[in-house]
Amino acid sequence: MSQNKTFDPELMKLFKIFGLGTLVWVFALSFFNTKHIELEEGEIRTSITAASRLYFMNVRQPFYDRENRADAKMNVFRLSKRVVDEDRPVINLSIILNRVKEDAYIYIEPSEAIPNGKLSLKYHLVENDSSGMVVFEGGDRFDHFRFVAEVYPLLLQDAQFEIETSEGWKPILAERKERDAFKITVFDYFRLLEQEERNK
């Protein structure tokens, strides 16, 4: 009995130290976890979690061509079933995983038939007979994100698109394969960011 009495306070001391340490660790993790921070309107979050990265790499990555950029510590993924044609206007997308920052970016990769990579898209929604314009003139990763985030919902609504070229306005994102490649890549990207509400 005397051994138990001297052992119990030491055991309780260990429990207290372990409990306090656990609380400090949980607090630190929650403090640095930006996933649940509400964004200001218009603010763009590109951070990813270990779970979403794991899902992308194990489930979706086999459908993509992968380019390793060791110099920039990034991996570039392009959908294998995309349309590759430099003789006509085509908009392809790539998903870039930043291995250092745990961020994911989406980039526009226009074909060479689109002069200077400038995208001026006219769209028409047959269902409600509305139309408009979406313009991309280059920029940083956030400008790429904004363009994609504007075009994607229009594609989901079956909008028809035309692009301005040196030879006038031409149809773009017209073929099923081209539309599907755009939609699938964006769907996977928003899934990677855990922003599935954008896929509806």
Side-chain angles (χ1 to χ4, degrees), residues 11-72:
L11 187 59
M12 289 305 293
K13 187 178 179 182
L14 286 174
F15 277 138
K16 286 178 183 176
I17 292 171
F18 178 75
L20 184 61
T22 303
L23 286 174
V24 170
W25 180 249
V26 169
F27 176 76
L29 286 178
S30 63
F31 182 74
F32 291 108
N33 183 8
T34 58
K35 181 187 167 204
H36 299 294
I37 294 175
E38 294 214 8
L39 300 177
E40 301 277 331
E41 188 166 341
E43 189 178 354
I44 296 170
R45 177 181 60 78
T46 58
S47 60
I48 60 175
T49 64
S52 65
R53 173 191 276 275
L54 195 62
Y55 174 84
F56 181 80
M57 296 302 290
N58 289 335
V59 178
R60 298 304 304 155
Q61 188 255 333
F63 298 96
Y64 286 79
D65 297 329
R66 177 174 176 168
E67 177 188 348
N68 295 322
R69 297 288 305 272
D71 54 334

Side-chain angles (χ1 to χ4, degrees), residues 25 85 148 161:
W25 180 249
D85 189 345
V148 169
F161 294 90

Side-chain angles (χ1 to χ4, degrees), residues 3-196:
Q3 285 183 345
N4 286 342
K5 286 179 181 177
T6 57
F7 183 71
D8 285 342
E10 291 178 22
L11 187 59
M12 289 305 293
K13 187 178 179 182
L14 286 174
F15 277 138
K16 286 178 183 176
I17 292 171
F18 178 75
L20 184 61
T22 303
L23 286 174
V24 170
W25 180 249
V26 169
F27 176 76
L29 286 178
S30 63
F31 182 74
F32 291 108
N33 183 8
T34 58
K35 181 187 167 204
H36 299 294
I37 294 175
E38 294 214 8
L39 300 177
E40 301 277 331
E41 188 166 341
E43 189 178 354
I44 296 170
R45 177 181 60 78
T46 58
S47 60
I48 60 175
T49 64
S52 65
R53 173 191 276 275
L54 195 62
Y55 174 84
F56 181 80
M57 296 302 290
N58 289 335
V59 178
R60 298 304 304 155
Q61 188 255 333
F63 298 96
Y64 286 79
D65 297 329
R66 177 174 176 168
E67 177 188 348
N68 295 322
R69 297 288 305 272
D71 54 334
K73 294 187 169 76
M74 293 185 181
N75 296 322
V76 183
F77 300 89
R78 298 176 180 92
L79 194 72
S80 301
K81 292 187 176 180
R82 68 193 183 279
V83 174
V84 181
D85 189 345
E86 295 300 334
D87 296 327
R88 65 183 179 89
V90 175
I91 301 172
N92 281 310
L93 302 173
S94 61
I95 295 173
I96 302 174
L97 296 188
N98 185 324
R99 299 194 305 263
V100 176
K101 294 184 178 179
E102 287 296 322
D103 277 354
Y105 317 123
I106 192 160
Y107 269 73
I108 304 157
E109 297 186 333
S111 63
E112 290 182 9
I114 300 173
N116 303 318
K118 180 183 175 182
L119 307 175
S120 295
L121 298 185
K122 286 196 299 193
Y123 68 85
H124 178 71
L125 287 163
V126 178
E127 189 175 322
N128 59 11
D129 196 29
S130 63
S131 58
M133 179 92 70
V134 183
V135 178
F136 175 78
E137 296 182 342
D140 62 15
R141 63 184 184 268
F142 300 118
D143 294 312
H144 286 257
F145 182 103
R146 288 185 192 98
F147 176 83
V148 169
E150 196 170 345
V151 171
Y152 180 55
L154 295 169
L155 266 178
L156 295 181
Q157 297 174 68
D158 292 324
Q160 298 169 351
F161 294 90
E162 289 183 310
I163 187 168
E164 187 177 20
T165 70
S166 55
E167 299 171 357
W169 291 91
K170 291 190 173 182
I172 195 167
L173 293 168
E175 292 180 7
R176 174 75 180 270
K177 185 177 180 181
E178 189 180 354
R179 292 171 77 90
D180 285 351
F182 194 103
K183 287 194 283 189
I184 290 167
T185 304
V186 181
F187 184 95
D188 287 340
Y189 178 67
F190 286 141
R191 169 67 181 78
L192 184 59
L193 296 185
E194 296 183 341
Q195 297 180 20
E196 288 91 341

